[in-house]
Amino acid sequence: MTLSTPTKRTTTTRTAVQLEEPLPPLVPPPWSLKEIRDQIPPHLFERNTLKSLGYALRDLALAAALFALARRIDWLCAHPALQPYLGPVSSTVLRTACWLTYWWFQGLVFTGIWVIGHECGHGAFSPSPIVCNTIGFVLHSLLWTPYFSWKFGHHRHHSNHGSMEKDEVYVPKTRAELGIPPAGDGEGDDEGFDWDEYFGDTPAYTLFMLVRQQLFAFEAYLIYNVSGQKHYPKWTNHFDPNSIIFDPSQRKAVIASNLGLLAALLALASACARFGARAVAAYYGVPWVLVTHWFVMITYLHHTDPALPHYRARAWSFQSGAAATVDRDFLGWQGRFFLHDVAHYHVVHHFFPRMPWYHGAAATAHLARAMGPYYRRSAKPVFRALWDNYNFCQFVDDEGDMVFYRDRRGKTIVDYVLGEGRKARADAQGEGEGQENGHANGQVKQEGGPST
């Protein structure tokens, strides 16, 4: 197997999206899963229960420490030693800054705890299924996620990632689903076609819809399969044991997930009765909302990008789907420490979901060389990437074995890149002709000069 490293460069297109590296080859990858696995040292697949427990305990300790510090915020702002220096406004500013700091970091810690539960669902936490399921069930229930139900649906996503027909989440909408005329019929690809009729939203409305996605998309997916397969029955969800998402053998585990959420609800109600709903919202509610935000943002950017293809049955394979994602430098050191590299090394996770997250960096170095130009990594600031991709990625074509997202003008990133290539070649050709003409004009002028 030939190993290659892609040359990194930035390609600017006439869209709002900037390509950080060349597009991958516009054909499915040629290598097999075994060829990729053979390039990664075997010890990187080994799971260490004690090491994983250390990460879980660290996160729980951080959450407890932040909670203890947050309980001192009002004490700090009312401390007599500070009163000579604080007026009513500055005291409010200090209190607000303290709470915002708490929410930011506790939201990241809670998200890291959720990631640990996610790793348990894949069996990456420990070689023992009992250990994985026990810890994952408790952690996810505390964060309002039906552990087994989500685990089963998430496994189907990993088994069919990038498949237009079988993937479980972030399945692109098609022309037909949006009522857009097919390409090639004189309307859908006509320069005079009124794309604003379909996508002419104001930036303010687009921002509103994006915020709505960040706050409610995960709950909507669990409750009624938003962004999942459109051919599933109406009201397909993760709480009905008889849902099409689950096999009959999984129904008891789905019921157990529901009971875990019921226990969490009773604990929340008890906390509200004892401490007050306002206090529970401040200490627990806001960080939990941020878990939803971070989780949706991470997964959306993993699976929704102009340069990432989706495949239909004839072209899809497990390895082509696994390659159709991207590693992102998500929040720098905070993403690495608090979020356990869940975004930094996501490509290798799709190839080998049972590989422990703490081996992601080392394994990705081998994986990137083995994948060659098919490996994708983005250093773009993640909030900029979220805005760019949300505006660009609107729909895909109804036909085609390998399809890319189209933007609000019906163009793919491939259209723009190839268009820039044609323009550059035309400009180069024009410059060449100009140089030839200039050289010819110089010869004419010399020939017409005074004779000697």
Side-chain angles (χ1 to χ4, degrees), residues 115-169:
V115 170
I116 294 291
H118 159 268
E119 298 298 314
C120 289
H122 282 294
F125 187 91
S126 167
S128 168
I130 295 177
V131 171
C132 287
N133 288 332
T134 300
I135 293 176
F137 176 76
V138 172
L139 296 182
H140 270 192
S141 296
L142 289 174
L143 293 172
W144 292 92
T145 300
Y147 171 73
F148 291 106
S149 308
W150 178 84
K151 167 186 170 179
F152 298 146
H154 192 61
H155 280 194
R156 289 166 66 109
H157 158 65
H158 268 265
S159 298
N160 300 282
H161 179 243
S163 167
M164 287 295 297
E165 297 90 354
K166 295 183 178 181
D167 202 350
E168 286 291 325
V169 67

Side-chain angles (χ1 to χ4, degrees), residues 105-266:
F105 285 104
Q106 192 70 294
L108 289 174
V109 171
F110 277 17
T111 306
I113 293 172
W114 192 97
V115 170
I116 294 291
H118 159 268
E119 298 298 314
C120 289
H122 282 294
F125 187 91
S126 167
S128 168
I130 295 177
V131 171
C132 287
N133 288 332
T134 300
I135 293 176
F137 176 76
V138 172
L139 296 182
H140 270 192
S141 296
L142 289 174
L143 293 172
W144 292 92
T145 300
Y147 171 73
F148 291 106
S149 308
W150 178 84
K151 167 186 170 179
F152 298 146
H154 192 61
H155 280 194
R156 289 166 66 109
H157 158 65
H158 268 265
S159 298
N160 300 282
H161 179 243
S163 167
M164 287 295 297
E165 297 90 354
K166 295 183 178 181
D167 202 350
E168 286 291 325
V169 67
Y170 295 116
V171 181
K173 296 178 180 178
T174 64
R175 283 179 180 269
E177 289 165 352
L178 295 179
I180 300 173
D185 69 352
E187 290 187 83
D189 60 346
D190 185 21
E191 290 295 332
F193 182 74
D194 188 6
W195 290 102
D196 287 334
E197 181 180 346
Y198 290 88
F199 302 113
D201 299 331
T202 65
Y205 181 76
T206 300
L207 178 61
F208 167 77
M209 295 298 290
L210 178 56
V211 171
R212 187 183 73 162
Q213 169 187 287
Q214 292 306 115
L215 296 180
F216 304 112
F218 184 49
E219 292 80 3
Y221 167 66
L222 293 176
I223 294 171
Y224 56 96
N225 197 44
V226 164
S227 85
Q229 283 294 337
K230 311 302 186 291
H231 61 78
Y232 282 178
K234 188 177 182 180
W235 295 108
T236 292
N237 64 79
H238 284 70
F239 305 100
D240 179 4
N242 298 311
S243 173
I244 191 174
I245 298 172
F246 311 121
D247 296 330
S249 62
Q250 299 170 337
R251 288 172 181 168
K252 290 182 180 179
V254 174
I255 294 172
S257 295
N258 293 342
L259 292 176
L261 295 185
L262 178 60
L265 176 62
L266 293 175

Side-chain angles (χ1 to χ4, degrees), residues 71-80 95:
R71 292 191 63 190
R72 308 292 285 177
I73 290 176
D74 290 338
W75 169 85
L76 173 66
C77 295
H79 197 281
R95 181 177 285 102

Side-chain angles (χ1 to χ4, degrees), residues 28 160-167 171-177 309-318 320-321 395-404:
N160 300 282
H161 179 243
S163 167
M164 287 295 297
E165 297 90 354
K166 295 183 178 181
D167 202 350
V171 181
K173 296 178 180 178
T174 64
R175 283 179 180 269
E177 289 165 352
H310 283 76
Y311 298 94
R312 290 194 167 90
R314 190 168 64 177
W316 184 88
S317 66
F318 179 86
S320 64
F395 66 95
V396 299
D397 289 331
D398 298 312
E399 299 178 353
D401 292 334
M402 183 180 186
V403 293
F404 290 83

Side-chain angles (χ1 to χ4, degrees), residues 3 26 40 65 82 110 128 170 214 277 293 297 299 319 367 407 438:
L3 302 180
L26 302 181
I40 299 178
L82 293 179
F110 277 17
S128 168
Y170 295 116
Q214 292 306 115
H293 155 70
M297 183 174 178
T299 55
Q319 59 268 24
L367 178 77
D407 67 2

